[in-house]
């Protein structure tokens, strides 16, 4: 089988058998300083709930190891200090791990950084009340207080890293500007997260539909009415139900599969209220080539009643408009207050990437999306009735995905 999209290159293998193609299951970042840190920005945690975290020190020089107080010190705190959903853990004890790579870590209990993107929960203390698609995003900071007496400089703890373990949230939400129309289409299932935590050479993945052809306009407020598999001989595939939180476990299996998803046969019909538009799909323990080649035919109807998710003004074009593969509508936004540009699937606030925005000449906003083999760079110049996109680079795995050039985008 072969994918309709460019190959993004070899899978990148991380710690504990984790793989990335093109995004990580666990989000990691190095913290600039440890004793009083400005933190690391995680901007792309849309549609995810932080389940737990691991703060760890890596490769501390031998002469500083005696300064580490070890277990029981209780002096490491991890915080989310910006964004729509702020929170912090208590001070955690550092555990000594002397394997030459990781020399200490501080575990976080479940939900100590607040649950994000759920919209409901058992108590206000662990639930983010701001039902924003990007609520878990923001700046994360590590504080070591008080530092051991033998430590005279923060760099003695360097580098410090935060790993954020998360579950996905399938949530019906809508942009006020997005329009939905009954329709159908053929969709490629693109990997959003891929893992091989049990290190058996087989991967499991969470996938999102990207339209290759069709008609109508789907949003996460829509209801999927039918799903037909294009390749009937492919691996087992499940579609996630609406408004659930789900995750893959350490054996690369979907937790509570019957409660969170539906196993797909060749053809499936759904009543409104079961599967939302832009549903997540899950495939377990397959060869990488099988994961990258999945396609389905989707039909959907118009839905109502989904809560709105606010956003900066957006400008829309299809991948076909930009000389790209497929016919998926995309929305690009400039959030001046946050200093970032976001690129999302039209009608799906949970499927977006973000990048820092740089002001260029003539009011243009310059941006570069560059991670895990995908590069999309250029500038956006908003106008009164339209916006101009100067697309400089659009690569996937080093292969040109879209045609560089100047394009006119319409308002969302």
């Amino acid at each position: 089988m072969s994918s309709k999209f460019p190959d993004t290159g070899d899978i990148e293998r991380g710690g504990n058998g984790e793989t990335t193609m093109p995004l990580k299951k666990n989000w990691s970042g190095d913290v600039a300083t440890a004793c009083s840190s400005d933190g690391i920005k995680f901007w792309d945690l849309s549609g995810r709930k932080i389940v737990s975290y691991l703060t760890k020190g890596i490769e501390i020089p031998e002469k500083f190891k005696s300064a580490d107080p070890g277990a029981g010190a209780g002096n490491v705190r991890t915080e989310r200090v910006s964004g729509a959903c702020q929170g912090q853990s208590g001070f955690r004890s550092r555990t000594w791990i002397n394997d030459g790579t990781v020399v200490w870590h501080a575990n976080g209990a479940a939900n100590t950084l607040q649950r994000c993107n759920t919209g409901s929960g058992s108590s206000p203390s662990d639930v983010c009340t701001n039902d924003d698609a990007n609520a878990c995003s923001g700046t994360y900071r590590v504080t070591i207080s008080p530092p051991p007496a033998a430590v005279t400089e923060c760099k003695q703890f360097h580098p410090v890293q935060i790993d954020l373990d998360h579950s996905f949230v399938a949530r019906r939400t809508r942009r006020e500007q997005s329009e939905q129309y009954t329709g159908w289409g053929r969709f490629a299932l693109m990997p959003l997260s891929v893992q091989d935590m049990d290190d058996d050479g087989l991967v499991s993945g969470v996938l999102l539909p990207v339209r290759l052809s069709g008609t109508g306009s789907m949003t996460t407020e829509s209801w999927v009415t039918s799903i037909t598999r294009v390749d009937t001989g492919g691996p087992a595939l499940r579609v996630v139900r609406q408004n659930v939180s789900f995750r893959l476990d350490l054996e690369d299996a979907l937790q509570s599969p019957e409660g969170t998803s539906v196993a797909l046969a060749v053809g499936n019909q759904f009543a409104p209220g079961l599967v939302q538009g832009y549903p997540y799909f899950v495939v377990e323990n397959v060869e990488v080539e099988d994961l990258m080649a999945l396609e389905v035919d989707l039909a959907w109807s118009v839905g109502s009643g989904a809560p709105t998710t606010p956003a900066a003004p957006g400008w829309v074009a299809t991948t076909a408009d930009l000389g790209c593969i497929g016919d998926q509508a995309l929305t690009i936004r400039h959030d001046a207050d946050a200093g970032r540009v976001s690129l999302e699937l039209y009608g799906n606030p949970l499927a977006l990437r973000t990048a820092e925005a740089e002001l260029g000449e003539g009011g243009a906003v310059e941006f570069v999306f560059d991670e895990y083999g995908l590069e999309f760079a250029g500038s956006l110049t908003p106008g009164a009735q339209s916006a101009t996109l100067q697309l400089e680079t659009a690569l996937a795995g080093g292969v040109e995905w879209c045609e560089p050039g100047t394009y006119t985008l319409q308002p969302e």
Side-chain angles (χ1 to χ4, degrees):
M1 295 187 293
S2 62
S3 172
K4 293 290 193 300
F5 289 82
D7 186 357
T8 57
D10 295 335
I11 286 185
E12 174 186 337
R13 185 174 298 277
N16 298 324
E18 176 190 343
T19 60
T20 62
M21 187 185 61
L23 305 179
K24 289 186 175 182
K25 175 182 181 294
N26 294 339
W27 295 73
S28 300
D30 292 332
V31 180
T33 58
C35 299
S36 179
S37 172
D38 290 334
I40 176 72
K41 290 183 178 179
F42 294 88
W43 274 353
D44 295 321
L45 295 169
S46 54
R48 293 163 175 81
K49 180 176 68 176
I50 302 305
V51 176
S52 63
Y53 70 89
L54 177 67
T55 298
K56 55 189 178 183
I58 305 173
E59 298 175 352
I60 292 181
E62 186 70 31
K63 65 179 180 178
F64 294 138
K65 288 184 178 180
S66 61
D68 194 293
N75 64 343
V76 180
R77 183 172 66 191
T78 306
E79 306 168 84
R80 184 169 47 253
V81 295
S82 71
C85 177
Q86 299 181 32
Q88 66 182 30
S89 73
F91 279 98
R92 304 289 181 188
S93 298
R94 288 188 292 164
T95 302
W96 186 271
I97 305 176
N98 192 5
D99 63 359
T101 301
V102 178
V103 297
W104 62 267
H105 70 237
N107 281 302
N111 302 313
T112 55
L113 293 178
Q114 299 181 325
R115 300 171 185 168
C116 294
N117 301 328
T118 60
S120 62
S122 58
S123 67
S125 63
D126 62 8
V127 176
C128 177
T129 56
N130 187 326
D131 198 30
D132 173 39
N134 221 31
C136 286
S137 300
T139 300
Y140 287 70
R141 179 173 67 193
V142 173
T143 301
I144 300 177
S145 179
V151 173
T152 58
E153 298 182 39
C154 284
K155 68 181 181 181
Q156 293 173 345
F157 284 100
H158 287 180
V160 173
Q161 180 172 310
I162 307 173
D163 289 352
L164 301 176
D165 191 16
H166 65 84
S167 62
F168 288 90
V169 180
R171 181 166 61 85
R172 290 183 73 231
T173 182
R174 66 182 180 89
R175 302 291 195 201
E176 290 185 348
Q177 305 93 331
S178 298
E179 297 180 338
Q180 56 172 328
Y181 304 100
T182 296
W184 58 271
R186 177 155 295 184
F187 291 77
L189 299 186
M190 297 300 295
L192 181 66
S193 176
V194 179
Q195 69 177 68
D196 180 15
M197 299 299 283
D198 56 7
D199 203 24
D200 64 356
L202 300 176
V203 301
S204 296
V206 178
L207 309 104
L208 273 178
V210 177
R211 193 162 89 174
L212 299 173
S213 61
T215 185
S217 177
M218 182 170 62
T219 73
T220 51
E221 189 176 43
S222 307
W223 294 116
V224 171
T225 56
S226 71
I227 301 176
T228 302
R229 295 194 56 166
V230 175
D231 183 354
T232 58
L237 189 64
R238 305 187 73 92
V239 63
V240 176
R241 300 172 184 267
Q242 64 103 4
N243 279 340
V244 298
S245 176
F246 67 98
R247 66 189 308 230
L248 298 170
D249 62 22
L250 294 178
E251 300 299 322
D252 303 324
L254 178 64
Q255 291 184 336
S256 305
E258 299 305 321
T260 59
S261 64
V262 177
L264 295 179
V266 175
N268 302 263
Q269 304 296 315
F270 302 101
L274 184 62
V275 178
Q276 67 192 51
Y278 284 114
Y280 290 103
F281 292 82
V282 176
V283 63
E284 301 170 302
N285 292 300
V286 299
E287 300 286 348
V288 175
E289 293 78 9
D290 293 337
L291 182 77
M292 290 295 292
L294 294 169
E295 295 180 4
V296 296
D297 290 333
L298 286 180
W300 63 90
S301 62
V302 172
S304 62
T308 59
T309 299
W315 308 94
V316 179
T318 68
T319 52
D321 294 336
L322 303 179
C324 312
I325 297 168
D327 190 32
Q328 174 65 54
L330 304 173
T331 304
I332 187 169
R333 308 181 192 277
H334 173 222
D335 187 337
D337 292 336
R340 64 191 187 192
V341 171
S342 65
L343 180 68
E344 68 185 51
L345 297 183
Y346 177 87
N348 187 348
L350 303 181
L352 79 164
R353 311 304 304 141
T354 58
E356 291 190 65
E358 298 287 343
L359 293 180
E361 297 181 0
V365 181
E366 300 173 351
F367 58 86
V368 177
F369 298 91
D370 186 9
E371 53 187 345
Y372 310 115
L374 302 175
E375 184 175 352
F376 192 85
S379 64
L380 179 74
T381 306
Q385 302 297 326
S386 63
T388 300
L389 173 66
Q390 181 65 44
L391 185 58
E392 303 291 346
T393 305
L395 302 176
V399 179
E400 189 171 278
W401 180 36
C402 308
E403 290 286 342
T406 303
Y407 300 93
T408 300
L409 278 56
Q410 300 305 313
E412 185 179 26

